[in-house]
Amino acid sequence: MQIGIVGLGRMGGNIARRLMQAGHDCVVYDIDAAARAELEADGARPADTLESLVGGLTESPRAIWVMLPAGKITEGTVAHLGSCLGEGDMIIDGGNSYYKDDIRRAAELKKSGIHYLDVGTSGGVWGLERGYCLMIGGDADAVRHLDPIFATLAPGLGEIERTIRNADADPRAEQGYIHAGPAGAGHYVKMVHNGIEYGMMQAYAEGFHILESKNSETLPPDERMDLNVADIAEVWRRGSVITSWLLDLSASALAQDPELEKFSGYVEDSGEGRWTVEAAVEQAVPAEVLTAALYTRFRSRQTTNFAEKTLSAMRLGFGGHTEKKA
Amino acid sequence: MQIGIVGLGRMGGNIARRLMQAGHDCVVYDIDAAARAELEADGARPADTLESLVGGLTESPRAIWVMLPAGKITEGTVAHLGSCLGEGDMIIDGGNSYYKDDIRRAAELKKSGIHYLDVGTSGGVWGLERGYCLMIGGDADAVRHLDPIFATLAPGLGEIERTIRNADADPRAEQGYIHAGPAGAGHYVKMVHNGIEYGMMQAYAEGFHILESKNSETLPPDERMDLNVADIAEVWRRGSVITSWLLDLSASALAQDPELEKFSGYVEDSGEGRWTVEAAVEQAVPAEVLTAALYTRFRSRQTTNFAEKTLSAMRLGFGGHTEKKA
Amino acid sequence: MQIGIVGLGRMGGNIARRLMQAGHDCVVYDIDAAARAELEADGARPADTLESLVGGLTESPRAIWVMLPAGKITEGTVAHLGSCLGEGDMIIDGGNSYYKDDIRRAAELKKSGIHYLDVGTSGGVWGLERGYCLMIGGDADAVRHLDPIFATLAPGLGEIERTIRNADADPRAEQGYIHAGPAGAGHYVKMVHNGIEYGMMQAYAEGFHILESKNSETLPPDERMDLNVADIAEVWRRGSVITSWLLDLSASALAQDPELEKFSGYVEDSGEGRWTVEAAVEQAVPAEVLTAALYTRFRSRQTTNFAEKTLSAMRLGFGGHTEKKA
Amino acid sequence: MQIGIVGLGRMGGNIARRLMQAGHDCVVYDIDAAARAELEADGARPADTLESLVGGLTESPRAIWVMLPAGKITEGTVAHLGSCLGEGDMIIDGGNSYYKDDIRRAAELKKSGIHYLDVGTSGGVWGLERGYCLMIGGDADAVRHLDPIFATLAPGLGEIERTIRNADADPRAEQGYIHAGPAGAGHYVKMVHNGIEYGMMQAYAEGFHILESKNSETLPPDERMDLNVADIAEVWRRGSVITSWLLDLSASALAQDPELEKFSGYVEDSGEGRWTVEAAVEQAVPAEVLTAALYTRFRSRQTTNFAEKTLSAMRLGFGGHTEKKA
């Protein structure tokens, strides 16, 4: 079917490619002409404004997938598209918007009869090849209408062993996409997905840190082990309880660079990790692990902080302890 | 080759079976005659005492795999076997011993020329079919001698995509077993493996809890979503960043019992989770996530605790707050 | 000076009393006639509507202290008062409002020339006697005008040892009140105060729990100690590094009820603990301790939760572990 | 009465001084002759070996207070003294030994009829003036015999408001010392005291960090507040719920150095913080706050760590995210 795509970065570009490979007709827009040209070379019809993108969509209702950074850019683009579209048309926000923004936008666009779908999209740079895991929020009718798009983007059954499910279970889930609920539900589920991702990453990170520190020259020689962290990551990929895709990636990185010398350990966080903590607080869910994983990232970006200076000040105060140097 | 196996529970019995399916000759012992009889039916040679098990091993050097609960039983059995074996023989502790106990035992047995190997064994009830991930500590010679045993128990390459590794990387890692280092190293690595397992499990658990609580009747109706947690677990299995075997198991459990009504949420912990925290403390590694995952289990087994009562007492003291009922 | 007081609960009533004891003229209102009558008996002039309270204020500019639960009640009352007051008048929110609400309200009221002050008020049920610690946000002129009120409510120097401060340091701080900054700053500082309070309380709570559990019959007899937690709390009050008012209260509670049998351990949390975590997340401050203290309270109010059931389900899945009973 | 004191550092020297000011007869030893000379000038009788110190004690039974760093030095000194003393004599370890070491030493010395007392001593550099809070483990007879020493060192009732206690409550607690239990109990209680201290310090530290970060130039100007952290610490000292001695010290430090520029934030930890976590793990007590406070100190001493590099490696792997610079 026909679809417009706005935002041709790492994610948006590959989404367009995966759709075109399955025969869908993509009209694409990006602020960067080079990005448009690249997609044109891959078979897309480029548009140089949002208006001309809308104009290029000849099927009715029209559907436009917005794949931009969460925040002001997405907000403005959705509003702009809302003013160009009409009754029955569909705007899909495939980015990482805050689910409360989705709920607000959906209500706003509904006034013009426009459907707003929020689609949490996981898969990173591997999605073109592996397919994208899609968590969709919005009106059931619109979700149904766009089924060919979602079915194409999702990974499908693949070679993954099937879960034994009830006969009446939604078959889409094992194809790699779900209609999670009303507006906001798609990004809500994706938000929690990312929260879990933070927690899992931190679990591995702490484990590898404990292993690596067991080789440390600061330990007495008879307590030291000469552990090969790369081999350990590799062996865990087979038969262990902690096999996962994140472990595959870790093993791959460690095989290339066993000390991870390429990395400084400055770790960004995105909105979703923070919103997960806020949702936990709002819903009174103790989320120790997901929160600790977020805080670790905050700390990784600081050389020191006021809290730690305060501790030193107190220690000097009650015990006369002066700081050693790092 | 020939091997003795002591302890025919869930793990030991299946280890014997997997070895026999590959043609190895197993002499087996368990305190429970019924367990011995079962293995005999599967082709093993049963022994009704440790002495007769040792006597049944005709190849030299002799090798005995001990698969018993960590602690006193393993300790006593290893000591007993040590008194029956001699120069060049091998005792393999495949259970979950504390790595400092391994170091002590290895040094003790070395006096009699006996090799002690500690083998962290992951795979749970699925190992017979999937193979066991093995993390081995001990003398290189003994590890080399037992290679046929380890190679049989390990999962092998399977259909798992291969990591790009250096040409000189140890080929055993991608077969599913490694020689981690000297005595204690096997269980040290297994200990950290289980620590990571706790952290990952808790990451999923918190995420599912946040999802489930979004359906709660305690929320205002317009904030509630009717999320299908089972379908969400299923969809994450395909193309998402958080695919893993633990997620597969979760999806399977949720598909059968979406509210997990079968479970009361009383969660045991084993030594390895605790030892991981102790190792982190000893090595000055901040291990927030692994520790929080352990503490959650402690709390799950309490109906209330003295800490929480203390909080209530203070709140009454400064603010006159009386406790509401649960 | 003259002041109106709205809300005559535990806090508001005592604030009026402390002001009247110093000779201030209080016009008071509460929805509950009995509460008004009580204050009248103590010398206040009661009003039976907000309008008559405003009418009873004869000095200009008029000042009204609102001491109500945060949320809709405070919101509505402030709005109502805003419509009754005019240029130069002052509304003081002494409750526990969210600082972002303060900023919004101040901007709104400014349009009518009304000053809005947010005053974080600590002291609990002891404030009448000990005085209240006041953290004030709003316009400097209004804060200066109300200085006699603040100076009366604050504890003053007392017998507390004076900090060596610069000659030009604000003298109000050591009297027990500060002008923290513009609108919102008062409640922001109070919010962080309460966040710290949660963390300190939890630190004591965990410590007492560790002590108490060392007496547990579940420990082997030779590891058990028969610690007297009440005496320990008492001894720490003298000369130790951890003396504090919260410790005084704990010692007092434990002296009366050494096992804290009166308490079930169901611990409420208020908005401020949650907002502190949100502020930390927003400002990228790792706030492990303050957050853990909040999550403990969440957990204290649950008998079990979905996270813990998920852990049990996974353990059954990979290891065949069935749950023990509590 | 007469007492020997070994170790004349910050703590030991002042303990001797406080005892001598009350008329006790102190024979003192330190490896550093200058330290001995200083104490001689204050009225002590110096000894230049442990043997001559023992020889200088003319009363029977003899009592020697050891005030040395925990670990090998204390271990060796106690063993050495054990060989010089006899039936009925007393060795007091006033340092920060691990309570399991106390239990072992007490059992060992008991064979020679020597009493071993472990005395947790809090008070830091302020103890000479304020008195020391003492938590004592060991035989009741020996504790009773040394009562004049303990009563002198402890702060006494002072001006601290008295807790309402039962008539039969141990009167020593409100004098500032307790007989906590058998050998090990003194240091066990002191260990938990220090664990709580870590938690409280971290609670304040995080709170001050949140306040300070609200002034940050990285915030949008309209979200920034110009909070005076020193004044805030000062105001909280009067009438607030979080008054404490640690807050007094913080306020003092902030008054001198509002940005804490003198400090780098490199924070040491001592054995007691770690042992508290180990005790919590051993006794299955969830001790989130005390543990987080320890981990924060570990992290404060690292510039980066392997865990954080692992996170960066994974993020590059799944999302193509390259690290920004600090």
Side-chain angles (χ1 to χ4, degrees), chain B residues 41-54:
Chain B
D42 290 339
R45 288 190 285 138
D48 53 8
T49 63
L50 287 178
E51 282 78 4
S52 66
L53 176 130
V54 171

Side-chain angles (χ1 to χ4, degrees), chain A residues 122 130 133 156-157 161 163-165 174 206 210 213 231 234-235 237-238 240-241 256 283 287 289-290, chain B residues 122 130 133 156 161 163-165 174 206 210 213 231 234-235 237-238 240-241 256 283 287 289-290:
Chain A
S122 184
R130 297 203 326 163
C133 176
L157 275 177
E161 199 167 349
T163 302
I164 298 170
R165 307 168 80 217
E174 62 178 12
E206 292 178 6
I210 294 172
S213 74
D231 279 358
E234 181 61 32
V235 82
R237 296 182 65 223
R238 286 179 178 78
S240 95
V241 173
Q256 306 308 312
Q283 296 164 217
V289 158
L290 306 191
Chain B
S122 184
R130 296 201 329 164
C133 176
E161 200 168 348
T163 301
I164 299 169
R165 308 168 79 218
E174 62 178 12
E206 292 178 5
I210 295 173
S213 73
D231 279 358
E234 181 61 33
V235 80
R237 297 182 64 224
R238 289 182 175 76
S240 95
V241 172
Q256 305 308 312
Q283 296 163 217
V289 158
L290 305 192

Side-chain angles (χ1 to χ4, degrees), chain D residues 3-299:
Chain D
I3 191 164
I5 295 179
V6 176
L8 304 173
R10 213 150 37 191
M11 293 289 287
N14 282 344
I15 280 176
R17 284 184 191 94
R18 190 166 169 99
L19 288 173
M20 293 189 295
Q21 286 168 6
H24 296 290
D25 172 24
C26 294
V27 188
V28 302
Y29 170 76
D30 192 282
I31 199 172
D32 175 14
R36 299 194 302 255
E38 254 186 71
L39 265 291
E40 185 176 16
D42 290 338
R45 289 190 284 137
D48 54 7
T49 63
L50 287 178
E51 282 78 3
S52 65
L53 176 130
V54 171
L57 294 172
T58 53
E59 293 181 5
S60 180
R62 292 168 290 195
I64 301 177
W65 185 294
V66 179
M67 202 70 200
L68 294 168
K72 283 187 190 168
I73 304 178
T74 293
E75 187 70 30
T77 304
V78 168
H80 191 155
L81 289 173
S83 69
C84 306
L85 297 174
E87 181 76 28
D89 290 339
M90 285 160 280
I91 298 175
I92 302 128
D93 178 5
N96 282 327
S97 291
Y98 187 36
Y99 76 96
K100 294 186 181 179
D101 290 331
D102 294 318
I103 295 171
R104 178 178 46 74
R105 286 179 202 150
E108 191 59 37
L109 290 166
K110 196 172 200 169
K111 295 177 192 164
S112 321
I114 301 171
H115 298 285
Y116 176 86
L117 303 187
D118 50 291
V119 180
T121 309
S122 183
V125 292
W126 300 78
L128 174 55
E129 174 188 340
R130 297 204 326 163
Y132 298 92
C133 176
L134 303 176
M135 298 145 261
I136 309 162
D139 298 334
D141 283 352
V143 176
R144 218 172 292 121
H145 181 81
L146 290 165
D147 193 76
I149 296 296
F150 297 136
T152 297
L153 289 175
L157 274 176
E159 295 175 4
I160 293 165
E161 199 167 349
R162 293 176 71 177
T163 302
I164 298 170
R165 308 168 79 217
N166 287 340
D168 60 350
D170 187 336
R172 293 175 289 188
E174 63 179 10
Q175 299 294 332
Y177 65 111
I178 53 167
H179 180 207
H187 280 145
Y188 188 88
V189 173
K190 176 58 168 27
M191 172 191 84
V192 175
H193 167 279
N194 282 32
I196 294 172
E197 178 189 307
Y198 278 44
M200 287 175 66
M201 288 173 70
Q202 183 65 18
Y204 285 118
E206 292 178 6
F208 288 129
H209 189 185
I210 295 172
L211 292 175
E212 184 251 12
S213 74
K214 192 65 180 172
N215 298 347
S216 167
E217 291 180 9
T218 62
L219 289 177
D222 66 326
E223 294 185 11
R224 231 177 279 165
M225 292 177 177
D226 190 26
L227 301 173
N228 184 319
V229 181
D231 279 358
I232 292 169
E234 181 61 32
V235 81
W236 285 344
R237 296 183 64 223
R238 287 181 177 77
S240 95
V241 172
I242 61 170
T243 54
S244 75
W245 190 49
L246 285 166
L247 179 63
D248 295 347
L249 296 171
S250 302
S252 193
L254 286 161
Q256 305 308 313
D257 179 8
E259 309 285 337
L260 301 179
E261 287 170 348
K262 277 204 303 259
F263 301 96
S264 68
Y266 182 98
V267 191
E268 298 280 352
D269 70 283
S270 62
E272 287 162 313
R274 299 187 184 202
W275 299 328
T276 303
V277 172
E278 284 177 13
V281 168
E282 210 174 306
Q283 296 164 217
V285 173
E288 274 300 346
V289 157
L290 306 192
T291 309
L294 178 67
Y295 288 168
T296 299
R297 295 188 177 196
F298 291 168
R299 182 58 186 82

